[in-house]
């Protein structure tokens, strides 16, 4: 989530040719909204509750969320 927000800020932030601060904030808000549709939260502790810190299951769970983030990010920047 944090990495996706950084990419959006880099691409759409006030000092970039593709946008401005208002657009960057709107893209960031939309990202969070889309992520919450399938995961209901953005807090790592909440998203990984019930998993052992170093378990294979947690790693797979996190991998799925990273894939979801990349899909959402792609959709948001595809039409820039």
């Amino acid at each position: 989530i944090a990495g996706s927000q950084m990419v959006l800020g880099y691409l759409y932030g006030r000092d970039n040719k593709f946008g401005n601060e208002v657009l960057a904030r709107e893209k960031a808000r939309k990202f969070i909204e889309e992520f919450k549709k399938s995961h209901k939260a953005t807090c790592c502790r909440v998203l990984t509750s019930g998993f052992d810190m170093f378990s294979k299951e947690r790693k797979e769970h996190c991998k799925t969320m990273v894939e979801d983030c990349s899909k959402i990010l792609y959709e948001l920047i595809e039409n820039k």
Side-chain angles (χ1 to χ4, degrees):
I1 294 170
S4 296
Q5 297 289 323
M6 291 169 62
V7 169
L8 292 170
Y10 176 77
L11 291 174
Y12 298 101
R14 61 184 150 178
D15 295 331
N16 296 302
K17 62 183 176 181
F18 297 118
N20 57 49
E21 192 171 344
V22 173
L23 182 58
R25 290 181 189 275
E26 178 60 25
K27 294 277 188 178
R29 184 196 62 74
K30 182 69 173 169
F31 177 89
I32 295 297
E33 181 181 294
E34 290 299 315
F35 186 85
K36 282 184 170 182
K37 283 181 183 177
S38 56
H39 298 286
K40 309 293 184 223
T42 58
C43 174
C44 185
R45 185 177 299 174
V46 172
L47 293 169
T48 60
S49 69
F51 291 96
D52 178 41
M53 179 65 137
F54 301 103
S55 70
K56 180 180 175 184
E57 293 80 17
R58 182 175 188 225
K59 184 175 182 177
E60 287 300 314
H61 180 68
C62 292
K63 180 180 165 186
T64 299
M65 288 187 288
V66 170
E67 289 171 356
D68 291 346
C69 285
S70 65
K71 289 174 187 174
I72 295 166
L73 182 61
Y74 179 80
E75 289 173 10
L76 288 172
I77 64 175
E78 181 178 38
N79 297 321
K80 86 175 168 147

